[in-house]
Amino acid sequence: MTTNQTQAEAPQAQAGQPIIQLNGVDKMFRLNKKKPFLVHDAVRRLLGRGKRGEDFWAIRDVSLSVWPGESLAVVGGNGAGKSTLLSLIAGTISPTRGRVTISGRVGALLELGAGFHPDLTGRENVYLNASLLGIQRDEAEAQFEHIVAYSELQEFIDVPLRNYSSGMQVRLGFAVAIHIHPEILIMDEVMSVGDQSFQIKCSRSIRQFQEEGKTILFVSHSPGQVSQLCRRVIWLDHGRVKMEGPTKEVLAAYQQQG
Amino acid sequence: MNGPRRSEKIDLASDSRNLFREIWAYRFALWNLILKDFRVRYRNMSLGMIWSILNPLVMLGVLVIVFSYIRLTSRPEEHFAIFLLLGMIPFNFFSMTLPPSTTCILDNTALVKKLIFPRHILPLSVVLAQIIHVVIQLSLLAIFLVFSRVMPNPAWLWLPLLFLVELGVVLGCALILSALNVYYRDTLYLVQSALAILFWFTPIFYPLSVVKVSLKPWVYRIYLLNPLAGIIDSFRRIVLEGKAPDGMSLGIATGVAGLLIVVGWAIFSRKERLFADKL
């Protein structure tokens, strides 16, 4: 498989413009051994020892197109660059080289309930989280009852989050995330949390998302989930696309090696 | 979050226009961040908000009492308590806002790493949340004004401009320092030391006129580069003397404030895309 994927290989190439497009994307992190300090650094620069840290290429030359309505899974071992790839597409980090083009509202679930604060009540956290995901007051107020109903946390909604179990927090986070109606849903292993009934509810919501023609991109360690939810998979290895194609083939090859 | 995200250099002017639009789109998030600041700070305190009133009250009270007896100036100031408050309030807004805004990106690591929103709203929320303390201190000032029978005068029309200059100074510094702190974690200590030094280089216990007569003109101009000097002096002229601000001191302060805002905005906007990498 090549790293450069052509339109012909994509299952839904006929749908016109890709909704997500990556062209030759590289992402480099500089690994600092020590935390930088202003005074320390200024002295070092004066002494001419400016260079510091090691370069680490988390993503190397990845090109990728995702079409509207498509569901794509990213698999790979620990440290393969999966989360970095999702962060690049979500836009929390910028590529070192290359270009990421997105045309649609992104709902990035890099972490469920990101920014939930333990001292705030469930209600307050719902509004904070929803607003940071980019929705306005009227929309948040209109969705609030639905969010609470979905999370099944009516009795606890005015209790500080500190008193929630981790499963309850995840439920609330997921409830907010699916009610902001993104066109692209990016999920970083968020489905592997929560109890059995929550996972079933999760899967049902995601299927409904797919039926509405939304685009889904996710990282998962569960082959069952991957083959259930999507037809195309990309396999990352050391920051490069090792293989890409129909779910069955890629998963087979991945599991054989793994 | 539409459109291309590039790794190429950015065009600051058109990017800023988009940025304003984006920040406006996130005004509900900004509001919720301000509320979070209050709730987290006061929920676990039995006295709640009273603490934030009590703290500046105690500090100002002690200073007023002490310096009503110990005069640092040869010429006794009329309405010394008001004179002092007009120096303390602008300085307090500055000194109470900078430490929390310096660390605001770091304090919200989880948000910055996992969510996409204009990062500008983080320092903005810290600065706006502090305005409540200014309002509390201003009401204290109002009480003193009423008791001393200091009446409003036409020069008060200058006050909105002064608030704007002060806000510009604080916001500009907040943008610069919060971005710097992502790269250098000792910024907070530098800020604290700088604030301790600045306290004595700001006309709080003494009038600006004393500075003017005791320094050479060019040294005096350097002194005025501290924008708080011009702001405080203007407040005193307006409220206590009913006069318009001094052109040079307020002019320099306004210039510095404008520069801080532009530089702060530019630095923050250039660096914000790298914040998640550095945290």
Side-chain angles (χ1 to χ4, degrees):
Chain A
M1 280 278 165
T2 59
T3 51
N4 258 329
Q5 166 239 345
T6 58
Q7 292 214 354
E9 286 171 338
Q12 296 177 28
Q14 67 280 4
Q17 287 280 32
I19 193 163
I20 300 169
Q21 192 157 30
L22 277 73
N23 290 324
V25 169
D26 289 335
K27 180 65 191 176
M28 183 263 280
F29 290 105
R30 182 152 292 157
L31 304 177
N32 285 322
K33 296 220 171 67
K34 281 182 193 162
K35 280 189 177 165
F37 290 100
L38 190 57
V39 180
H40 182 82
D41 208 54
V43 173
R44 280 174 68 100
R45 273 196 200 158
L46 276 178
L47 296 174
R49 290 184 216 147
K51 179 120 177 67
R52 66 201 150 84
E54 232 172 275
D55 294 353
F56 171 71
W57 294 85
I59 290 289
R60 292 216 100 140
D61 191 28
V62 170
S63 294
L64 173 73
S65 299
V66 183
W67 273 263
E70 198 180 0
S71 297
L72 180 73
V74 183
V75 298
N78 288 330
K82 305 184 298 293
S83 295
T84 307
L85 183 67
L86 292 196
S87 298
L88 280 165
I89 294 169
T92 54
I93 58 177
S94 308
T96 310
R97 280 203 290 264
R99 197 178 170 111
V100 178
T101 314
I102 309 290
S103 40
R105 172 154 152 181
V106 179
L109 305 188
L110 301 178
E111 186 181 290
L112 283 179
F116 272 3
H117 196 289
D119 285 342
L120 299 181
T121 66
R123 180 189 303 272
E124 290 160 353
N125 270 307
V126 165
Y127 279 112
L128 178 64
N129 190 237
S131 67
L132 284 166
L133 285 165
I135 73 171
Q136 283 308 318
R137 183 191 297 271
D138 45 354
E139 202 182 338
E141 276 164 3
Q143 291 294 335
F144 184 76
E145 290 306 319
H146 301 293
I147 292 171
V148 177
Y150 185 93
S151 69
E152 298 168 26
L153 289 166
Q154 288 91 338
E155 322 159 47
F156 302 102
I157 202 66
D158 288 312
V159 170
L161 219 69
R162 175 160 20 87
N163 301 329
Y164 281 37
S165 71
S166 57
M168 286 157 80
Q169 295 192 20
V170 165
R171 248 150 67 195
L172 195 61
F174 192 79
V176 175
I178 64 155
H179 283 90
I180 63 158
H181 300 300
E183 288 154 50
I184 305 167
L185 190 64
I186 297 176
M187 296 181 290
D188 192 355
E189 291 180 64
V190 296
M191 288 173 296
S192 52
V193 285
D195 60 13
Q196 188 80 37
S197 70
F198 173 74
Q199 289 202 0
I200 292 169
K201 199 168 184 174
C202 232
S203 303
R204 207 185 309 136
S205 297
I206 288 164
R207 215 154 307 127
Q208 197 186 333
F209 243 82
Q210 291 175 315
E211 281 159 22
E212 289 166 12
K214 309 231 163 122
T215 308
I216 300 178
L217 201 67
F218 68 99
V219 164
S220 175
H221 284 298
S222 148
Q225 220 162 33
V226 171
S227 46
Q228 206 179 5
L229 288 174
C230 61
R231 282 189 282 168
R232 186 154 73 106
V233 173
I234 87 171
W235 173 11
L236 279 184
D237 187 42
H238 291 97
R240 293 177 188 275
V241 178
K242 184 155 184 175
M243 192 174 165
E244 187 202 343
T247 306
K248 231 183 198 167
E249 292 170 27
V250 179
L251 274 186
Y254 175 60
Q255 279 171 315
Q256 202 168 24
Q257 177 172 322
Chain B
M1 289 293 148
N2 293 341
R5 276 191 288 272
R6 286 157 297 158
S7 60
E8 297 124 51
K9 287 273 173 282
I10 46 172
D11 165 20
L12 202 65
S14 80
D15 270 33
S16 289
R17 266 195 302 280
N18 290 335
L19 207 51
F20 281 128
R21 216 170 297 138
E22 213 169 87
I23 290 171
W24 179 244
Y26 276 83
R27 61 192 181 278
F28 185 47
L30 178 60
W31 174 243
N32 278 304
L33 284 171
I34 295 171
L35 285 180
K36 173 189 150 190
D37 191 74
F38 281 113
R39 287 167 172 156
V40 170
R41 191 159 2 160
Y42 297 120
R43 183 152 296 163
N44 295 327
M45 293 186 189
S46 54
L47 284 178
M49 273 297 274
I50 295 179
W51 279 121
S52 75
I53 305 173
L54 219 55
N55 266 335
L57 264 183
V58 168
M59 199 171 79
L60 288 167
V62 168
L63 287 172
V64 167
I65 291 166
V66 168
F67 287 106
S68 294
Y69 293 98
I70 306 166
R71 292 289 155 81
L72 288 179
T73 58
S74 49
R75 178 174 61 96
E77 296 287 335
E78 207 190 345
H79 303 310
F80 191 73
I82 295 171
F83 172 87
L84 206 55
L85 277 171
L86 287 170
M88 292 298 300
I89 294 171
F91 185 82
N92 279 349
F93 180 41
F94 186 76
S95 70
M96 286 166 70
T97 309
L98 289 201
S101 42
T102 300
T103 56
C104 71
I105 305 291
L106 228 54
D107 294 341
N108 289 292
T109 300
L111 299 185
V112 174
K113 282 186 103 111
K114 300 297 181 187
L115 294 170
I116 329 136
F117 61 93
R119 276 62 167 115
H120 297 67
I121 65 175
L122 290 173
L124 209 53
S125 74
V126 176
V127 172
L128 293 178
Q130 287 291 336
I131 285 182
I132 186 79
H133 298 284
V134 179
V135 171
I136 290 167
Q137 294 177 37
L138 283 178
S139 27
L140 180 69
L141 174 68
I143 294 169
F144 271 92
L145 289 180
V146 169
F147 274 94
S148 315
R149 297 184 202 288
V150 177
M151 292 299 148
N153 62 61
W156 281 38
L157 290 173
W158 284 93
L159 291 179
L161 173 71
L162 290 185
F163 286 121
L164 254 148
V165 174
E166 166 103 21
L167 197 63
V169 171
V170 173
L171 195 57
C173 291
L175 287 169
I176 295 170
L177 293 171
S178 57
L180 193 65
N181 194 49
V182 175
Y183 289 83
Y184 301 110
R185 303 294 159 89
D186 56 348
T187 308
L188 183 63
Y189 304 111
L190 291 181
V191 168
Q192 282 163 340
S193 304
L195 283 173
I197 297 167
L198 200 68
F199 183 81
W200 298 104
F201 283 93
T202 302
I204 298 169
F205 295 137
Y206 49 87
L208 189 63
S209 53
V210 171
V211 182
K212 193 174 182 178
V213 295
S214 25
L215 295 180
K216 289 192 183 111
W218 68 272
V219 184
Y220 176 61
R221 268 188 214 120
I222 292 175
Y223 182 93
L224 286 183
L225 286 179
N226 170 8
L228 293 172
I231 292 170
I232 290 172
D233 183 56
S234 304
F235 270 122
R236 286 171 177 165
R237 290 170 75 102
I238 291 166
V239 174
L240 291 172
E241 297 170 44
K243 287 198 290 195
D246 168 50
M248 180 162 83
S249 62
L250 186 61
I252 292 177
T254 309
V256 171
L259 193 72
L260 282 170
I261 273 286
V262 171
V263 170
W265 187 269
I267 290 179
F268 197 93
S269 305
R270 276 185 74 102
K271 295 296 178 191
E272 68 153 349
R273 56 185 57 217
L274 297 173
F275 285 170
D277 287 15
K278 299 285 176 189
L279 291 173

